[in-house]
Amino acid sequence: MLVYLIGLISFVIIFTQYAYAIEIITAPEKDPFGPNDSISISLEIDGYQGGNVEWIAHKPDGSSDYGVLTALKGGKKTHVIGRTAFDNQFGTWSIDYIYKDITHPTPVNVAPLVLELATDKQVYHEGETVIVTINSNEIEPNAAKAETYYIEIVDSNDSPAQHMQSNEIKAYQNSTTYSILVNELLNNNPFGDYKAKVQYYKVISYVTFSVKEEGPETTIFIGTDKPLYDSGAIVEVQIIISELIDSNAELTIIDPTGKRTVRSFPIENSLTRVILDDISTIKSGTYTLEISYGGVSELKTFVVETESTDSKQPKIDLRISLDKQKYAPGEVITAEVKTDQLISDKISYWTVDPSANQGVVTTKLMSSGKSIIPYFLSSEVELGPWKFYVNYGGKESFAIFFVEGEPIEQTKTILTDAYEGPELLMTIDKSITNLNQLKGIAIDSNQNIFLVDSGSSNIKKFDVNGRLLDSWGSFGSEDGQFKNPTGIFVDSKYVHVADTDNSRIQTFDKDGNFIRSWGKSGIGSQSLKSPVSISTDSSGIFLVSDSSLDKISKYDSDGGYAGHIESILTASAKFYSSNSIVADKNDNILILITADNRILQYNSDGTFINSFGTTGDDDGKFQSPSALALDSKGNLYVADSGNSRIQVFDPSKKFLTKWGSLGNQAGQFNTISGIAVDSIGNIFVVDSTNGVVQKFASISQPSELDIPAWVRNNAQWWNEGSIGDSDFANGIQYMIQNEIIVIPDLGKSGASQEQQIPDWVKKNAGWWAAGLISDEEFANGIEFLVTKGIIQV
């Protein structure tokens, strides 16, 4: 009988535990919710035993709300979180429901608020009306309940146009139009570029348009990258339009059989390139191109031959980029020429005017893979489309530009000699790949460039010559996805990205393969909120600055929490957020505080050392600085964004030099968002507004201080044939071993192989010995040759 009772009691206990097992079940009522919707979730608790249910809502910006749901009838309830589009919380929410020590996360998606603007054309004249079309995915058909579009006209500097009243329009239909009378605008404002600025909830969007005086009819120039093509080649069409008067153009291609293909494409700039990768060029003969734009048409032909003469040109990459597409008579053209191979010691260049007259051919020494060529336009040049030609080792290429407008007096022309700063070596811009809201940048030991493209939610990888190698990432919260990525740090193996709005760091290998994410442990005191910059100390501990925390967080090599550096509550040391962080070889940690226009210095254990910097535009003062970088000598580079310049300080934080000004030309900046220094000392500056990365030469002059006289003598004797290649290589080895020339990941391979060194390299050495080219040009050339394996040491 006793055994029976014990068995019965055990059964009752087991049955009771099973009967009262608790399960939380949730289901969002929409996926996604609209931008202006409240969030509504069906909640059911299987095994509900009474009592309250706690909830925590984690928002896309990293903030959170919480509350309590009281007694659930029948264990069920519809939970509504009131919100509107005014909170700007678009994206993925996560709502945690907590009952009896059980936590159930529920992901919820809120669609972004879309605000799209367009004008009926780009250029307007007196007497015309600008028609602005406004579209949004969030409207209320009942006008009395609808929210409002707030519309304002601003100039190119975002200042309100004079005596143009702001207006309000109810958003009660999918598409709304707004009219601007050009004459009303011109009553109190000059001709020029303007924007229609529209705010809807907290989202702001712009559309640009131009108001210009009546002038001559627009001129179109159409050209191809080559006059002759091999069968099956891809053709690139280059179109220059002197006056943008419409947003679209039409291109008709007629092949040798008379077959017509018509393509429409947008016109956004004076120069448009169209790749005809969908047009067959198998048939030999003459092809005709006709472009129609704004009521004007222009014809161009090209020829496809069975064996094009161009196929005999050297198979090298030769690229030309001009600083602008339009010039006035009397201006200076700055052309950048880049090649992936050194096959000759000289480069030739010339121009061809609109009447097909060729200018004087000029030659220039080519000692490395890049050359900057300034070319002065006479004040009496012919107006119209021009070509800038370059020939390098038999490879010929050209770029098209347009000359228009009134001549500029020479005193008003900014010559390249007027720029005071390090030499501009290279740019990466939208002509290479799509770039959108550029942020951080990092350089690895192989001189590969890693760039954070926040607007595209991805990472782009370029080689040393600025060619796109790879990209990875998309918008979202999954592994390998980003929300407003900002900072980036590269070590010997991995790429670490500050995924700011996902409150985490993501680590990848250098091919973009996801490794892990860290910094978001679920423990509030050990988690990141809005990480923006990453560095490491000598022991490999990661240091992360956060724009929403008053501390620097530390993590080990596996992403485990390893402590923090706290803000010290003194006037000189306290901070409420940080924006960039670097650590030098002595483990001194430098923290940029943008809001205070100053830099704080701590040691690795969190002891405050000092601070420097104040608000202003004098040397050593800052205005909204955005990023920090260190070179191998311990010099500190500060992206002084508000002053549109870079400032450099020595290891003791004494001012060394500065360069930069406001603008979009070489050595000019608009909004500096990132900076990096490679192992050679080259400086990379990211400009988010101009959408460009500029690479500058090292600010140091190693040739005058570090290259000994015997190396120069060796170069001269080698040029004269008095010593052999191996003796000359000894000098190169000396410079590499003493880091006068820094070549990443170069293994020792003994003496040079004489047959690999072309004769023209000896000429280069002779010019350097005679003072015809600079020490830096010689060092860059040798570095290039060693890296490419032309000289082996």
Side-chain angles (χ1 to χ4, degrees):
M1 184 67 178
L2 179 61
V3 173
Y4 171 77
L5 289 173
I6 291 172
L8 180 61
I9 292 169
S10 300
F11 171 77
V12 170
I13 292 172
I14 294 171
F15 176 79
T16 302
Q17 288 176 341
Y18 176 79
Y20 289 93
I22 297 172
E23 182 181 5
I24 302 175
I25 304 167
T26 59
E29 292 188 355
K30 287 185 181 181
D31 187 21
F33 288 95
N36 199 43
D37 288 342
S38 293
I39 294 174
S40 181
I41 298 175
S42 296
L43 170 66
E44 179 180 355
I45 300 181
D46 188 9
Y48 180 64
Q49 302 172 15
N52 297 334
V53 178
E54 298 179 9
W55 60 270
I56 303 174
H58 304 283
K59 301 178 183 180
D61 69 351
S63 62
S64 60
D65 284 338
Y66 60 90
V68 175
L69 303 177
T70 54
L72 278 66
K73 293 183 179 179
K76 297 182 179 180
K77 189 177 186 69
T78 298
H79 178 211
V80 178
I81 300 176
R83 62 164 298 278
T84 68
F86 282 110
D87 67 5
N88 249 21
Q89 298 293 338
F90 309 119
T92 301
W93 295 52
S94 181
I95 295 95
D96 293 339
Y97 292 95
I98 306 165
Y99 180 68
K100 300 290 185 181
D101 295 327
I102 297 173
T103 300
H104 178 75
T106 302
V108 172
N109 294 313
V110 176
L113 179 63
V114 177
L115 180 60
E116 297 178 339
L117 310 179
T119 55
D120 55 328
K121 59 181 183 176
Q122 291 181 309
V123 178
Y124 298 86
H125 302 284
E126 291 181 84
E128 295 184 330
T129 300
V130 180
I131 305 297
V132 180
T133 301
I134 308 171
N135 292 304
S136 178
N137 62 337
E138 177 60 42
I139 58 103
E140 168 56 58
N142 185 338
K145 299 180 180 179
E147 280 300 327
T148 301
Y149 296 123
Y150 295 93
I151 306 170
E152 184 179 25
I153 309 304
V154 299
D155 61 20
S156 57
N157 296 318
D158 289 337
S159 299
Q162 296 294 316
H163 301 292
M164 292 293 290
Q165 290 186 346
S166 301
N167 285 279
E168 301 177 4
I169 298 179
K170 287 287 187 177
Y172 65 91
Q173 52 189 355
N174 288 324
S175 184
T176 302
T177 59
Y178 175 71
S179 299
I180 305 166
L181 298 178
V182 172
N183 285 357
E184 181 181 347
L185 179 63
L186 292 177
N187 282 341
N188 299 283
N189 298 276
F191 292 98
D193 296 330
Y194 292 90
K195 303 175 187 176
K197 173 184 175 182
V198 178
Q199 179 172 338
Y200 187 42
Y201 291 94
K202 290 187 177 180
V203 176
I204 297 175
S205 187
Y206 296 86
V207 62
T208 61
F209 61 92
S210 297
V211 177
K212 297 187 176 181
E213 296 181 86
E214 292 285 354
E217 185 181 64
T218 187
T219 303
I220 299 174
F221 174 80
I222 181 171
T224 53
D225 56 331
K226 295 187 291 188
L228 297 174
Y229 294 88
D230 293 328
S231 177
I234 295 176
V235 178
E236 178 183 310
V237 182
Q238 300 169 338
I239 301 162
I240 287 187
I241 297 175
S242 63
E243 193 75 21
L244 299 183
I245 59 175
D246 207 344
S247 58
N248 290 283
E250 186 176 271
L251 180 65
T252 302
I253 304 99
I254 307 171
D255 71 10
T257 67
K259 178 183 176 182
R260 303 171 68 90
T261 303
V262 180
R263 289 180 55 176
S264 295
F265 56 92
I267 297 291
E268 299 176 347
N269 299 296
S270 299
L271 172 62
T272 302
R273 289 182 168 90
V274 180
I275 307 297
L276 302 182
D277 50 2
D278 59 343
I279 302 298
S280 173
T281 56
I282 297 297
K283 297 180 176 63
S284 60
T286 300
Y287 290 70
T288 301
L289 304 173
E290 180 180 3
I291 183 172
S292 298
Y293 174 80
V296 180
S297 297
E298 186 67 31
L299 296 175
K300 172 69 177 180
T301 61
F302 65 88
V303 176
V304 173
E305 294 186 343
T306 304
E307 192 171 330
S308 171
T309 56
D310 190 67
S311 64
K312 300 177 183 178
Q313 289 194 0
K315 300 299 183 182
I316 66 172
D317 182 18
L318 182 65
R319 288 183 288 169
I320 309 169
S321 57
L322 307 181
D323 58 329
K324 295 193 297 183
Q325 280 124 29
K326 289 183 179 181
Y327 299 88
E331 276 198 276
V332 173
I333 298 171
T334 302
E336 181 181 75
V337 181
K338 292 185 284 188
T339 179
D340 62 342
Q341 297 181 49
L342 283 175
I343 60 174
S344 179
D345 55 2
K346 293 182 181 179
I347 188 169
S348 302
Y349 60 94
W350 65 94
T351 57
V352 174
D353 68 18
S355 300
N357 299 312
Q358 179 177 312
V360 175
V361 177
T362 304
T363 59
K364 186 178 188 294
L365 297 179
M366 187 75 167
S367 59
S368 61
K370 185 194 70 66
S371 182
I372 302 295
I373 302 173
Y375 184 86
F376 180 74
L377 287 172
S378 166
S379 59
E380 299 178 355
V381 296
E382 182 180 353
L383 303 183
W386 286 59
K387 292 183 180 180
F388 189 98
Y389 276 89
V390 168
N391 184 294
Y392 179 62
K395 177 73 173 183
E396 189 173 291
S397 186
F398 70 88
I400 303 172
F401 62 95
F402 211 92
V403 179
E404 64 174 19
E406 296 297 321
I408 293 178
E409 297 178 15
Q410 189 171 356
T411 56
K412 296 181 181 179
T413 302
I414 302 176
L415 300 175
T416 53
D417 292 341
Y419 165 62
E420 296 181 358
E423 179 187 1
L424 179 63
L425 300 177
M426 181 182 73
T427 60
I428 299 174
D429 56 26
K430 293 181 180 179
S431 66
I432 297 173
T433 184
N434 181 48
L435 300 174
N436 186 12
Q437 295 182 25
L438 303 181
K439 294 291 181 68
I441 187 171
I443 317 297
D444 71 5
S445 59
N446 293 316
Q447 307 299 306
N448 292 315
I449 304 161
F450 296 83
L451 184 62
V452 179
D453 188 348
S454 185
S456 301
S457 300
N458 65 26
I459 306 302
K460 289 183 167 64
K461 178 181 178 181
F462 302 85
D463 69 9
V464 66
N465 295 311
R467 290 177 297 193
L468 182 66
L469 298 177
D470 196 5
S471 67
W472 67 86
S474 60
F475 180 80
S477 301
E478 301 298 323
D479 293 345
Q481 295 183 321
F482 304 103
K483 287 185 180 179
N484 187 29
T486 304
I488 188 167
F489 179 81
V490 179
D491 57 29
S492 59
K493 291 184 178 180
Y494 299 118
V495 178
H496 312 276
V497 181
D499 188 7
T500 304
D501 285 357
N502 280 322
S503 304
R504 65 185 179 183
I505 307 297
Q506 294 197 71
T507 297
F508 304 85
D509 67 20
K510 293 187 180 181
D511 293 321
N513 298 305
F514 176 80
I515 303 298
R516 61 176 172 266
S517 67
W518 46 279
K520 190 176 182 180
S521 65
I523 302 174
S525 61
Q526 300 181 10
S527 296
L528 300 168
K529 191 170 184 181
S530 301
V532 291
S533 181
I534 313 161
S535 187
T536 58
D537 63 17
S538 61
S539 64
I541 293 294
F542 287 102
L543 307 162
V544 183
S545 66
D546 195 303
S547 63
S548 298
L549 295 177
D550 59 351
K551 64 180 181 180
I552 300 299
S553 300
K554 295 182 176 183
Y555 297 88
D556 62 25
S557 58
D558 295 321
Y561 184 71
H564 60 267
I565 297 174
E566 284 188 307
S567 168
I568 299 175
L569 297 179
T570 64
S572 60
K574 66 180 178 181
F575 60 93
Y576 299 102
S577 67
S578 56
N579 304 88
S580 183
I581 187 168
V582 292
D584 65 19
K585 294 179 180 179
N586 298 317
D587 284 344
N588 291 311
I589 299 168
L590 300 169
I591 307 169
L592 177 65
I593 312 300
T594 298
D596 296 335
N597 294 309
R598 61 192 172 99
I599 298 166
L600 308 182
Q601 183 174 349
Y602 288 76
N603 65 19
S604 58
D605 64 7
T607 302
F608 176 70
I609 299 175
N610 63 17
S611 70
F612 63 97
T614 57
T615 302
D617 56 8
D618 294 332
D619 295 345
K621 295 183 178 181
F622 311 113
Q623 187 68 47
S624 300
S626 56
L628 303 176
L630 289 167
D631 66 17
S632 61
K633 297 181 180 180
N635 296 318
L636 176 67
Y637 298 73
V638 182
D640 188 7
S641 185
N643 287 320
S644 302
R645 66 185 179 183
I646 303 298
Q647 292 198 69
V648 187
F649 302 84
D650 70 11
S652 64
K653 309 305 174 290
K654 293 181 180 179
F655 175 81
L656 284 179
T657 187
K658 64 183 177 183
W659 77 91
S661 60
L662 180 63
N664 58 10
Q665 303 301 311
Q668 295 183 324
F669 313 110
N670 196 314
T671 305
I672 305 174
S673 54
I675 187 170
V677 184
D678 67 16
S679 58
I680 307 170
N682 298 318
I683 307 109
F684 297 76
V685 181
V686 182
D687 190 321
S688 60
T689 298
N690 289 331
V692 66
V693 179
Q694 297 186 61
K695 175 184 177 182
F696 298 93
S698 170
I699 62 169
S700 63
Q701 300 294 330
S703 55
E704 297 180 2
L705 301 175
D706 301 328
I707 299 182
W710 66 266
V711 176
R712 189 183 298 272
N713 293 336
N714 269 10
Q716 182 177 352
W717 294 332
W718 181 56
N719 171 258
E720 296 171 350
S722 300
I723 63 174
D725 290 354
S726 61
D727 291 324
F728 176 66
N730 289 335
I732 298 174
Q733 279 186 324
Y734 173 86
M735 289 192 288
I736 293 172
Q737 291 167 359
N738 289 274
E739 297 185 348
I740 297 171
I741 300 176
V742 180
I743 303 176
D745 299 337
L746 178 68
K748 295 182 179 179
S749 57
S752 63
Q753 300 178 20
E754 296 187 10
Q755 68 272 17
Q756 289 190 328
I757 305 179
D759 289 339
W760 72 265
V761 180
K762 290 188 176 182
K763 294 181 182 178
N764 206 37
W767 289 329
W768 173 63
L772 298 177
I773 63 175
S774 69
D775 292 350
E776 186 176 3
E777 287 177 305
F778 173 72
N780 288 341
I782 293 299
E783 176 199 335
F784 184 91
L785 296 172
V786 175
T787 304
K788 292 294 183 180
I790 298 172
I791 293 179
Q792 297 184 5
V793 296

